[in-house]
Amino acid sequence: MSEILWELQTDRIVSDLKAGKRLDNRGLNDYRKIEISHDVSENADGCARVKLGKTDVIAGVKFVPGEPYPDMPDEGSISVGVELLALASPDFESGPPRENSIELSRVVDRGVRESKSIDFKKLCIKEGELVWIGFVDLYVLNYDGNLFDACSIAAVAALKKARFPKLDGKKIVKGEYSSEIKLSKIPIMTTFYKVGSSIVMDANLVEEKASNARLSISCSDDKTMCAMQKGGNGSFTPEEVSKCVELALEKSKELRKLL
Amino acid sequence: MSEILWELQTDRIVSDLKAGKRLDNRGLNDYRKIEISHDVSENADGCARVKLGKTDVIAGVKFVPGEPYPDMPDEGSISVGVELLALASPDFESGPPRENSIELSRVVDRGVRESKSIDFKKLCIKEGELVWIGFVDLYVLNYDGNLFDACSIAAVAALKKARFPKLDGKKIVKGEYSSEIKLSKIPIMTTFYKVGSSIVMDANLVEEKASNARLSISCSDDKTMCAMQKGGNGSFTPEEVSKCVELALEKSKELRKLL
Amino acid sequence: MSEILWELQTDRIVSDLKAGKRLDNRGLNDYRKIEISHDVSENADGCARVKLGKTDVIAGVKFVPGEPYPDMPDEGSISVGVELLALASPDFESGPPRENSIELSRVVDRGVRESKSIDFKKLCIKEGELVWIGFVDLYVLNYDGNLFDACSIAAVAALKKARFPKLDGKKIVKGEYSSEIKLSKIPIMTTFYKVGSSIVMDANLVEEKASNARLSISCSDDKTMCAMQKGGNGSFTPEEVSKCVELALEKSKELRKLL
Amino acid sequence: MKEEENVYVNKHGKRIDNRGIDEIREIKITIGVIPEASGSAYLEWGQNKIYAAVYGPNEFVPKHSSDPLRAQVKFNYRMASFSVPDRKNPKPGRREIEISKVLGEALERTIFLERFPGTQIEVETHIVDSNAGSRVAALTAASVALADAGIPMRSLISACGVGKAGGHLIVDLNKHEEDAPDAVDIPLAVMANSNEVVLLQMDGLISKEEFNEVMQKGLTACQQVYEKQKAVLKEKFLDAEKEVPSKEDLSEEKNDLNGNSKPEAPEAMDSMQGGDLL
Amino acid sequence: MKEEENVYVNKHGKRIDNRGIDEIREIKITIGVIPEASGSAYLEWGQNKIYAAVYGPNEFVPKHSSDPLRAQVKFNYRMASFSVPDRKNPKPGRREIEISKVLGEALERTIFLERFPGTQIEVETHIVDSNAGSRVAALTAASVALADAGIPMRSLISACGVGKAGGHLIVDLNKHEEDAPDAVDIPLAVMANSNEVVLLQMDGLISKEEFNEVMQKGLTACQQVYEKQKAVLKEKFLDAEKEVPSKEDLSEEKNDLNGNSKPEAPEAMDSMQGGDLL
Amino acid sequence: MKEEENVYVNKHGKRIDNRGIDEIREIKITIGVIPEASGSAYLEWGQNKIYAAVYGPNEFVPKHSSDPLRAQVKFNYRMASFSVPDRKNPKPGRREIEISKVLGEALERTIFLERFPGTQIEVETHIVDSNAGSRVAALTAASVALADAGIPMRSLISACGVGKAGGHLIVDLNKHEEDAPDAVDIPLAVMANSNEVVLLQMDGLISKEEFNEVMQKGLTACQQVYEKQKAVLKEKFLDAEKEVPSKEDLSEEKNDLNGNSKPEAPEAMDSMQGGDLL
């Protein structure tokens, strides 16, 4: 689409939203249909596919035995990475990760990590010698906006199903599992997009492109937030931030039930 | 050369080949003169230089002591890599390996590996602790077509001459050697280029550029094939494949005598 | 500045220098004002900031415990790296190090290393097991010519102040130190720039850009040289080299007093 | 158990997963799974699960490497880190780069590249689960995605692995069979309408006679795959008006292809799009 | 000692470094420290030491990625290898890339980008010593460097961290406090004239009530930082003739910004440069 | 044995490889070994074995970095992984990048770059075996390859290492001597016709007096290398009609070069090509 058409479309979206109207007739704080499934990959130690409208992402967990860091001899680790596959959008290019996927990966990672829902000590196999290193890798299959929330839900959904492989000494016994990883909480991220003077949740692609600021808020339970990230070259007033905090806690309560 | 001139040259080569005529008057299945020598590098643990007409490649072997993979505690390894030096052709650029050199490396590697001519257990120094890791590195010095066969011959010729360094504990004693590596078979790769409707062996550069499909067949002995690779955006009929298989076994028998 | 203006400026500088005149009225072998300070970074194990006129560089040392090389079980190591920050000049770009910063790093490194002022055996903590690996990292803050000398002085000044961290087993006790590193000599690099037929020391940026050859000479003490590097696509006559050697020993004697 | 492992075909002629020696695993294909793409497909082939998307033809990037006479295919074969038993480094490895190259070349054979000079056709495949044969599955999926995108082709590309395990010549090896001590693995793909071989690789020790025999099995298996591809595309192009050209209709074209690599005249090609290939 | 460590605010209301809970560490700013740059600043904030330089606006590189309607900010947040307790790999890491992105976006909010179509404004920051809060310090320094470079802005950007340690809501956490078991770390930056939030990140468990309370502390702290920035810029622009616009004068502008993201008409902006922001 | 090792020159004035202190190792040069190149040479220098090829002048890539007034030399000094006692990582390292830079600059001094504005002259050297002195050998080979390619030069570049081992000032150090505890290593290259120094590096502790003495040895050694270069080029250009310019004929040129870095007028240079340099 040409630059000019984008500007016109943006103007239209902005004025519609001012009148409380979204392109697909949702309310400003309504999510698109959310579908969560788990038959993604038998080779994964845990996996999930999340569709948020037409946005489509998959997450898979793999546990690898490794040495602990010297300063945390009784703790394993988890790391989250998101790849924006060229498969998913004409906007994405294959190649090394750029700042967009790096920010997305790190924000999704912090949403899980800071909730303290995973006890890293439970990833210890033998203190000082062997721990589980968990990799949660996400791939975007189709990009229609709001990857932050979709990826966050997928990461948590995959972790909830994740099982530790069975070990024979330091080697994994292929296809056999010992126990499940336990999440003590279900962290949920909700992301607000500011489009003109309006703020919407679960923006689709055209809304996201029309927006100039984004605020992601992760909630570890119904009353507690655990992470935030503002992005974009726009701004939020302190009052808007307060409002978003309020809504995030409410909406994450709803979404948590899906998991 | 301009695009137009290439097209004209290609047309000419195609029609000459239809009449059974090659530019240098060889028969369709004749190789250019093959020269194999070994005085390439005293620092190599084994080396060879192969000239196939004006195509000129060198191979050198280095053995490095290292730890075995946990799942194969009594096996060493060999890996083959080819670099298309900018030295060798105006078509090559210095820089990280591209898909052409990666394919070439992997096909030459498989030709050796799949022949099972090297017993990786004989590369074990101490089970679970120390094994030989062999690196066969090839460099193209002058590129006049058919690198697949030239590199394959050079890799095998270098390996045939390769000796294990003498060890003092885990350290190599420079310039001293213990024993030779033994190859139980001499794998030979022969490559067919389809130019128009004709198929030639040992294509030189202009024939290679005029061709649109390539089939490399490695034979581990006079009766057995061990690897194949079709390349290029053309195709072979099943009958052509059968014919190539027949010829590959015949021709590799001849070439094997050179080694 | 346009290509043409550069040529004109170069002509002017060349003819002025022939008459013994520098842009800032210094003598051909005079250095700009040199300021050395040390309050750069409390997190560094040793640091220095050096201003040579408006050229401004910082150096910081960090010691990391690590395993010795198998062939030198009782020696630690020191490595020097210079980064040409995009912060420092419109001529510099952020990105991977290019040949200019690689040459600069390696020449500064050799100036220190070859002076043998650091006894690498004193960096051994436990033979065969643990040694200090010292990193001297330099950053250019403002680039107004003669980075070779500025970086060399900064590296030595930082090393002179460097202290070994206190160890608890193999782990560093943050913020505590055991002993100082001792330099047995103070290596000093002086760099000569050939501009037209004249040779100047401590070239500023416009002189450096007008020059076509450079000769860096490191002296480990008042009578001994320890490293040299000629750069640029110009040349020096043997007599000029001799003259530079003479001057380097003299001038480094002066500069050594600053450290 | 140990003994069991070495029996690749039991006395009833059945393999470890209960298939016959000439039987391919179950294949399921869904079209249009990636709305953002010009064309797409999701394919399950036994445990293998693959997404394929096509973008383009678009202007070639970077422009100075474009071919002024034809389109170029940029094929990307990628594996998810969790698609294999041992976690794969997410960075594309040398194996993925090689496979991307040969699969892209296979597709270039069938696409009428000359119709889109100076462009690129991007074919992205992503393996999310695997169990031997992922490259032939990816190529099969990519071919369907190209048809879904309406890219004009000479033929669908149909692919299947064949080979040997425990002394038996078999089609569509699974991981267990691929790991046999005497395993031979032969990824194969053909232009389904003409049986011209566009992909052929081999690993393992095999005689000429065995090879020729197993190639025949492979050509038959590819035709079975072709039926699956046609079935799903037919469903999509149900209401298309044009007749599907029969194998016989394509024979002239076929001879041409074997004979001469020069671009066909555009007028000869104008009926070969999307559903026309079925 | 062990017990001591867990007391983050003592009975006298003092923190480990003797500050009150709402007290920011000492800030020192020097302008024009990098003569080669269009504008520059050196900032010390407690132990944090940061150089910031601005180059441009210059032609965007590579040209085909330029925005024909506005300038783009390329922000580079880099840490010296010796700026942290454990040596940092000199290569920029993922943390530095993320921070560069969000700090650059914060600055884009305040710069009149539309005045320099097709260009890039390069903002380079280099952390040479650090002790918690280096990103807000870098943003604060960058804002001053932009003013020094004469880049027209809607407002200075003023930044400060706030958060929680040992159960106390505090401003400008130091490393010790950031490492508290219950630590919450909230880097915050605002357009100083309007309090609009341009940077907001958070790590750690916090309730809505605590968050709202600590945000207020943060807004106040940012204004304190703003005073420091103004003071040093005033010194530089001492002989500037124009009056500094008061907060009230900017209120109209503020309403506009909240309401609509479209570029302001140039005529509305022509008095907002350098010293004018103080 | 241990003692032996520390004797670098025995009582008969002979070194470990039986050379005298001023004696260079055997040098063999073959021209035209790489048919694809514009010019090429293979050089053996003791154990060192080096291939050199020249391509160009060609259009500079990327175009926007070309110099509109002159050609640029792109020099590539590369070592085969098996060219050294410990296997070298095949990726070019920092040492190779530095050496490539200084060798390229040395060649730029002698080439009439102004005749080929906007172009690049690619000089590729590949070390396949080494034993001290590979960079001077590479430069010597490259200079012959340039002459073979017909690139117009002011002079051949002739190079040799000199230095110190066991207290003796010696020429053309081998690996054993380079590893002496007091070793000094000085790679040196000159424009053979004028003795102007175009390459000079040094590692190791040396006094002014020793340095001046060993430089003289170096200049003499370079002239010996020059004789080898000339001999092989003469063979090739045997039937060339023009006379080789004598050292005296070049003196005017020489003064010019020392005095002024500006491009010479083209008319002054037209007789300096290929065999003309001998």
Side-chain angles (χ1 to χ4, degrees), chain D residues 19-269:
Chain D
R19 282 186 287 154
I21 55 167
D22 292 335
E23 198 178 331
I24 59 178
R25 290 171 287 182
E26 197 184 352
I27 293 175
K28 284 190 277 186
I29 310 177
T30 318
I31 286 183
V33 292
I34 297 167
E36 290 293 312
S38 316
S40 62
Y42 171 66
L43 181 145
E44 290 187 10
W45 183 321
Q47 189 188 333
N48 293 291
K49 296 181 189 69
I50 288 133
Y51 290 85
V54 170
Y55 290 91
N58 293 316
E59 197 188 353
F60 197 93
V61 182
K63 213 174 169 177
H64 67 263
S65 297
S66 71
D67 184 331
L69 299 180
R70 53 189 73 79
Q72 291 175 71
V73 170
K74 287 189 178 173
F75 196 103
N76 209 357
Y77 167 92
R78 289 288 307 282
M79 302 198 85
S81 66
F82 47 76
S83 66
V84 278
D86 288 317
R87 179 181 188 249
K88 199 206 145 290
N89 186 320
K91 235 178 67 182
R94 290 166 63 92
R95 175 180 169 274
E96 284 159 293
I97 292 170
E98 181 203 337
I99 293 179
S100 295
K101 180 177 188 289
V102 293
L103 299 193
E105 288 169 344
L107 291 182
E108 285 197 335
R109 177 65 190 92
T110 196
I111 298 171
F112 288 106
L113 303 170
E114 309 78 16
R115 294 200 191 170
F116 311 104
T119 69
Q120 63 186 28
I121 297 167
E122 216 186 315
V123 182
E124 300 285 338
T125 60
H126 195 60
I127 319 298
V128 303
D129 203 3
S130 73
N131 179 320
S134 67
R135 83 188 69 184
V136 290
L139 187 54
T140 300
S143 173
V144 173
L146 280 167
D148 182 40
I151 306 285
M153 293 185 282
R154 296 184 170 81
S155 165
L156 282 178
I157 299 292
S158 305
C160 188
V162 288
K164 185 176 164 185
H168 301 273
L169 300 177
I170 53 182
V171 306
D172 190 21
L173 284 68
N174 61 32
K175 183 108 184 60
H176 172 71
E177 292 159 346
E178 233 182 52
D179 291 344
D182 71 337
V184 176
D185 180 30
I186 307 176
L188 174 71
V190 299
M191 293 176 69
N193 281 338
S194 67
N195 264 348
E196 286 177 70
V197 177
V198 292
L199 174 75
L200 176 58
Q201 298 181 296
M202 191 191 79
D203 285 342
L205 298 167
I206 194 166
S207 71
K208 180 175 67 179
E209 294 72 22
E210 287 175 320
F211 178 80
N212 286 332
E213 187 184 337
V214 87
M215 269 293 280
Q216 286 308 318
K217 286 181 187 286
L219 296 174
T220 307
C222 286
Q223 288 300 324
Q224 291 170 19
V225 173
Y226 181 40
E227 294 304 318
K228 308 269 182 182
Q229 292 172 298
K230 275 198 298 192
V232 69
L233 283 167
K234 245 180 198 148
E235 222 171 285
K236 177 177 162 152
F237 292 99
L238 213 60
D239 42 14
E241 300 154 313
K242 288 173 197 158
E243 231 1 77
V244 177
S246 71
K247 235 175 159 177
E248 285 65 37
D249 294 343
L250 285 161
S251 58
E252 196 178 6
E253 162 80 352
K254 181 189 162 189
N255 290 340
D256 235 315
L257 295 178
N258 282 331
N260 199 320
S261 66
K262 284 189 62 183
E264 282 76 2
E267 50 272 28
M269 307 180 298

Side-chain angles (χ1 to χ4, degrees), chain C residues 100 103 105-106 110 114 196-197 212 220 224-230 232-233 235-238 242 246, chain F residues 94-95 98 101-102 105 108-109 195-198 200-206 208 211-212 258-259 261:
Chain C
N100 285 333
E103 185 194 14
S105 297
R106 288 176 57 86
R110 287 202 293 269
E114 296 294 333
S197 57
N212 67 358
S220 58
T224 319
M225 297 176 288
C226 60
M228 278 191 199
Q229 177 90 344
K230 180 258 166 185
N233 61 10
S235 56
F236 291 90
T237 65
S242 263
E246 189 94 26
Chain F
R94 291 164 63 90
R95 175 179 170 275
E98 181 203 338
K101 180 176 188 289
V102 294
E105 289 170 342
E108 286 197 333
R109 176 67 189 91
N195 265 347
E196 285 178 68
V197 176
V198 291
L200 177 59
Q201 298 181 296
M202 190 190 80
D203 285 342
L205 298 167
I206 194 167
K208 178 174 70 179
F211 177 81
N212 286 332
N258 281 332
S261 67

Side-chain angles (χ1 to χ4, degrees), chain A residues 109-120:
Chain A
D109 184 293
R110 286 201 295 267
V112 175
R113 183 183 307 281
E114 296 294 334
S115 71
K116 286 160 183 125
S117 55
I118 296 172
D119 183 355
F120 287 164

Side-chain angles (χ1 to χ4, degrees), chain F:
Chain F
M1 176 72 183
K2 199 90 205 203
E3 257 168 57
E4 267 298 278
E5 267 175 10
N6 292 322
V7 178
Y8 290 88
V9 178
N10 70 15
K11 52 191 172 181
H12 308 295
K14 291 294 183 187
R15 292 148 70 179
I16 195 160
D17 53 8
N18 216 32
R19 282 186 289 155
I21 55 168
D22 293 335
E23 198 178 333
I24 59 177
R25 291 172 286 182
E26 196 182 353
I27 293 174
K28 284 190 280 187
I29 310 176
T30 318
I31 285 183
V33 291
I34 297 167
E36 289 294 311
S38 317
S40 63
Y42 170 67
L43 180 144
E44 291 187 10
W45 183 320
Q47 188 187 334
N48 293 291
K49 296 181 191 67
I50 287 133
Y51 289 86
V54 171
Y55 289 91
N58 293 317
E59 199 188 351
F60 197 93
V61 182
K63 212 174 169 177
H64 67 263
S65 297
S66 72
D67 184 330
L69 300 180
R70 54 189 73 78
Q72 291 175 70
V73 170
K74 286 191 179 172
F75 196 104
N76 208 359
Y77 168 91
R78 290 287 307 281
M79 301 200 85
S81 66
F82 49 75
S83 66
V84 278
D86 288 317
R87 179 180 187 250
K88 199 205 146 287
N89 186 320
K91 235 179 67 183
R94 291 164 63 90
R95 175 179 170 275
E96 282 159 295
I97 293 170
E98 181 203 338
I99 293 179
S100 295
K101 180 176 188 289
V102 294
L103 299 193
E105 289 170 342
L107 290 183
E108 286 197 333
R109 176 67 189 91
T110 195
I111 298 171
F112 288 106
L113 303 170
E114 308 78 18
R115 293 199 190 170
F116 311 104
T119 68
Q120 63 185 29
I121 297 167
E122 214 186 314
V123 182
E124 301 286 337
T125 59
H126 195 61
I127 318 299
V128 302
D129 203 4
S130 73
N131 179 319
S134 68
R135 84 188 69 183
V136 291
L139 187 53
T140 299
S143 173
V144 173
L146 280 167
D148 182 40
I151 306 285
M153 294 185 280
R154 295 181 171 83
S155 166
L156 282 178
I157 299 293
S158 305
C160 189
V162 289
K164 186 177 162 184
H168 301 273
L169 300 177
I170 54 182
V171 307
D172 190 20
L173 284 68
N174 61 32
K175 183 107 184 62
H176 172 71
E177 291 160 346
E178 235 184 51
D179 290 344
D182 71 337
V184 176
D185 180 30
I186 307 176
L188 173 70
V190 298
M191 294 175 72
N193 282 337
S194 67
N195 265 347
E196 285 178 68
V197 176
V198 291
L199 173 76
L200 177 59
Q201 298 181 296
M202 190 190 80
D203 285 342
L205 298 167
I206 194 167
S207 71
K208 178 174 70 179
E209 293 73 21
E210 286 175 320
F211 177 81
N212 286 332
E213 187 184 337
V214 87
M215 270 294 279
Q216 285 309 316
K217 287 181 188 288
L219 296 174
T220 306
C222 286
Q223 288 301 322
Q224 291 170 17
V225 172
Y226 182 39
E227 294 304 318
K228 309 268 183 182
Q229 293 171 298
K230 275 198 297 191
V232 69
L233 284 167
K234 245 180 199 148
E235 225 171 283
K236 177 178 162 151
F237 291 100
L238 213 61
D239 42 14
E241 299 155 314
K242 286 171 198 160
E243 233 358 80
V244 177
S246 73
K247 234 175 159 176
E248 284 67 36
D249 294 343
L250 284 162
S251 58
E252 197 178 2
E253 162 79 352
K254 181 189 162 188
N255 290 340
D256 235 314
L257 296 177
N258 281 332
N260 199 318
S261 67
K262 285 188 61 184
E264 281 77 3
E267 51 272 30
M269 307 179 299
D270 53 7
S271 63
M272 301 289 296
Q273 229 163 306
D276 303 343
L277 292 167
L278 309 178

Side-chain angles (χ1 to χ4, degrees), chain E:
Chain E
M1 178 69 184
K2 200 87 206 206
E3 258 169 56
E4 268 299 280
E5 267 175 10
N6 291 324
V7 178
Y8 291 88
V9 178
N10 69 15
K11 52 190 172 185
H12 307 296
K14 292 293 182 188
R15 292 148 69 179
I16 197 160
D17 53 8
N18 217 31
R19 283 185 288 155
I21 55 167
D22 293 336
E23 197 177 333
I24 59 177
R25 291 171 286 181
E26 196 182 354
I27 293 174
K28 283 190 279 188
I29 310 175
T30 317
I31 286 182
V33 292
I34 297 166
E36 289 294 312
S38 315
S40 63
Y42 170 66
L43 180 144
E44 291 187 10
W45 183 321
Q47 189 188 333
N48 293 291
K49 295 181 191 68
I50 287 133
Y51 289 86
V54 171
Y55 289 91
N58 293 317
E59 198 188 351
F60 197 92
V61 183
K63 213 174 168 176
H64 68 261
S65 297
S66 71
D67 184 331
L69 299 180
R70 53 190 73 80
Q72 292 175 70
V73 169
K74 287 190 179 172
F75 196 103
N76 208 357
Y77 167 91
R78 289 287 309 280
M79 302 200 83
S81 65
F82 48 76
S83 66
V84 278
D86 288 317
R87 178 180 188 251
K88 198 204 146 291
N89 186 320
K91 234 180 66 183
R94 291 166 63 91
R95 176 181 169 273
E96 283 159 294
I97 292 170
E98 182 204 336
I99 293 178
S100 296
K101 180 176 187 291
V102 294
L103 299 193
E105 289 170 342
L107 290 182
E108 286 196 335
R109 177 66 190 93
T110 196
I111 298 171
F112 288 105
L113 302 169
E114 309 77 16
R115 293 199 192 170
F116 311 104
T119 69
Q120 63 185 29
I121 297 167
E122 214 186 316
V123 182
E124 300 286 337
T125 60
H126 195 60
I127 318 299
V128 302
D129 203 3
S130 74
N131 179 318
S134 68
R135 83 188 69 183
V136 291
L139 187 53
T140 300
S143 172
V144 173
L146 279 167
D148 181 40
I151 306 285
M153 294 185 281
R154 296 183 169 82
S155 165
L156 282 178
I157 299 292
S158 304
C160 189
V162 289
K164 186 175 161 183
H168 301 272
L169 301 176
I170 54 183
V171 306
D172 190 21
L173 284 68
N174 60 32
K175 183 109 185 59
H176 173 73
E177 291 159 347
E178 236 183 49
D179 290 344
D182 71 337
V184 177
D185 180 29
I186 307 176
L188 174 71
V190 298
M191 294 175 70
N193 281 338
S194 68
N195 265 348
E196 285 177 70
V197 176
V198 292
L199 174 75
L200 176 59
Q201 298 180 296
M202 191 190 79
D203 286 341
L205 298 167
I206 194 165
S207 72
K208 180 174 68 178
E209 294 73 22
E210 287 175 319
F211 178 80
N212 286 332
E213 186 182 340
V214 86
M215 270 293 280
Q216 286 309 317
K217 287 181 187 287
L219 297 174
T220 307
C222 286
Q223 289 300 324
Q224 291 169 21
V225 172
Y226 182 38
E227 294 304 318
K228 309 270 183 181
Q229 293 171 297
K230 276 199 296 193
V232 69
L233 283 166
K234 243 178 200 151
E235 225 171 282
K236 177 178 162 150
F237 292 101
L238 212 61
D239 42 15
E241 299 155 314
K242 287 171 195 158
E243 231 2 75
V244 177
S246 72
K247 234 175 157 176
E248 285 67 36
D249 293 344
L250 284 163
S251 57
E252 196 177 5
E253 161 80 351
K254 181 188 161 190
N255 290 340
D256 235 316
L257 295 178
N258 282 332
N260 199 319
S261 67
K262 285 189 61 185
E264 281 77 2
E267 49 273 28
M269 307 180 297
D270 53 7
S271 64
M272 299 290 296
Q273 230 164 306
D276 303 343
L277 291 169
L278 310 177

Side-chain angles (χ1 to χ4, degrees), chain A residues 169-184:
Chain A
K170 294 190 170 192
K171 276 169 58 186
I172 286 178
V173 182
K174 301 259 164 75
E176 297 187 40
Y177 294 90
S178 58
S179 58
E180 283 193 9
I181 186 174
K182 296 275 189 327
L183 301 190
S184 63

